[in-house]
Amino acid sequence: MPRFVVQEHHARRLHWDLRLEMDNVLKSWALPKGVPEKRGVKRLAIETEDHDLSYIDFEGRIPEGMYGAGEVKIWDSGEYELLERTENKIKFLAKGRKMNGEYVLIKTKVGWLLMKA
Ligand SMILES: [Mn+2]
């Protein structure tokens, strides 16, 4: 089963980074407001660069002067089941402790949105 992680990132602005193990990399989205807890709530998910698989368990401090400087903590992690994937939609069943259940990433005109399905 592929894995996912949500890293709480205390950069200049606090955000959460959702990363899905996919195509042998970590596909990544920054969530300014975190993972939606309720159905129907749409949260902006800003697509960011793919990360190496080894980054999935990274926690620690990114030094000052480096991109993303600040503390990174794992907010949740686990496995997921890919339910649907098209160019504009990724639906998955997350099996984490906090991120648990069906979620969908949808690409809209304004970018990606993350919803609890
Ligand atoms: Mn980040």
Side-chain angles (χ1 to χ4, degrees):
M1 282 256 248
R3 298 167 296 161
F4 77 93
V5 67
V6 180
Q7 287 156 322
E8 184 177 316
H9 188 179
H10 294 257
R12 196 173 313 175
R13 291 184 78 160
L14 171 65
H15 62 274
W16 289 260
D17 290 298
L18 169 64
R19 307 190 197 280
L20 300 177
E21 186 177 26
M22 196 173 256
D23 305 338
N24 222 31
V25 293
L26 295 173
K27 295 283 176 198
S28 300
W29 293 264
L31 310 172
K33 293 188 171 176
V35 173
E37 282 152 31
K38 288 184 198 166
R39 259 193 266 175
V41 178
K42 296 185 180 86
R43 290 278 169 82
L44 186 62
I46 302 158
E47 194 173 17
T48 57
E49 63 183 22
D50 295 346
H51 276 56
D52 191 86
L53 288 180
S54 63
Y55 201 72
I56 200 160
D57 55 7
F58 177 77
E59 284 190 297
R61 175 164 285 277
I62 299 173
E64 286 306 317
M66 286 186 70
Y67 180 74
E71 195 75 26
V72 176
K73 288 187 269 186
I74 293 178
W75 181 82
D76 198 17
S77 65
E79 296 180 330
Y80 76 92
E81 190 180 322
L82 184 61
L83 300 175
E84 188 182 345
R85 184 184 181 188
T86 66
E87 206 173 316
N88 300 318
K89 186 176 180 183
I90 299 171
K91 191 173 182 185
F92 59 100
L93 175 61
K95 299 177 178 181
R97 290 174 61 196
K98 298 181 201 171
M99 191 176 193
N100 196 279
E102 281 184 29
Y103 293 83
V104 60
L105 280 157
I106 298 215
K107 195 176 190 177
T108 71
K109 277 178 277 179
V110 296
W112 289 87
L113 298 171
L114 176 65
M115 283 176 283
K116 198 169 201 293

